[in-house]
């Protein structure tokens, strides 16, 4: 397995909206509050998609997502 294959899939907010069906507003608000795992590339949020999916699953088990 190459180093590139080991890297987590990082996506933009718009890509996360397409992948999850969550609203852009919901994702932005949770990024700003630090709830969604991400890094910043300049001013652009890059979301770790596997960790984001885990977070969504944990929130849905708690009944916490409404975006």
């Amino acid at each position: 397995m190459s180093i590139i294959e080991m890297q987590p899939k990082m996506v933009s907010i718009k890509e996360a909206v397409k992948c999850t069906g969550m609203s852009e507003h919901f994702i932005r608000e949770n990024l700003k509050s630090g709830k969604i795992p991400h890094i910043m590339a300049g001013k652009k949020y890059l979301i770790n998609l596997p960790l984001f999916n885990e977070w969504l699953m944990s929130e849905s088990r708690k009944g916490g997502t409404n975006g």
Side-chain angles (χ1 to χ4, degrees):
M1 184 179 298
S2 74
I3 189 116
I4 293 173
E5 291 171 326
M6 293 174 17
Q7 297 295 320
K9 178 160 173 106
M10 304 299 283
V11 297
S12 67
I13 293 173
K14 292 197 183 299
E15 290 170 315
V17 168
K18 290 178 189 174
C19 291
T20 64
M22 305 302 288
S23 72
E24 186 173 335
H25 176 76
F26 173 83
I27 292 173
R28 282 189 187 281
E29 289 300 311
N30 284 283
L31 284 167
K32 289 177 185 176
S33 68
K35 294 179 183 176
I36 295 175
H38 69 281
I39 61 170
M40 296 296 292
K43 293 183 180 182
K44 183 176 182 175
Y45 287 100
L46 290 177
I47 301 164
N48 181 316
L49 191 57
L51 291 179
F52 180 43
N53 285 329
E54 286 179 28
W55 179 80
L56 285 174
M57 294 300 288
S58 71
E59 286 297 301
S60 66
R61 284 192 288 272
K62 292 190 267 183
T65 59
N66 57 7

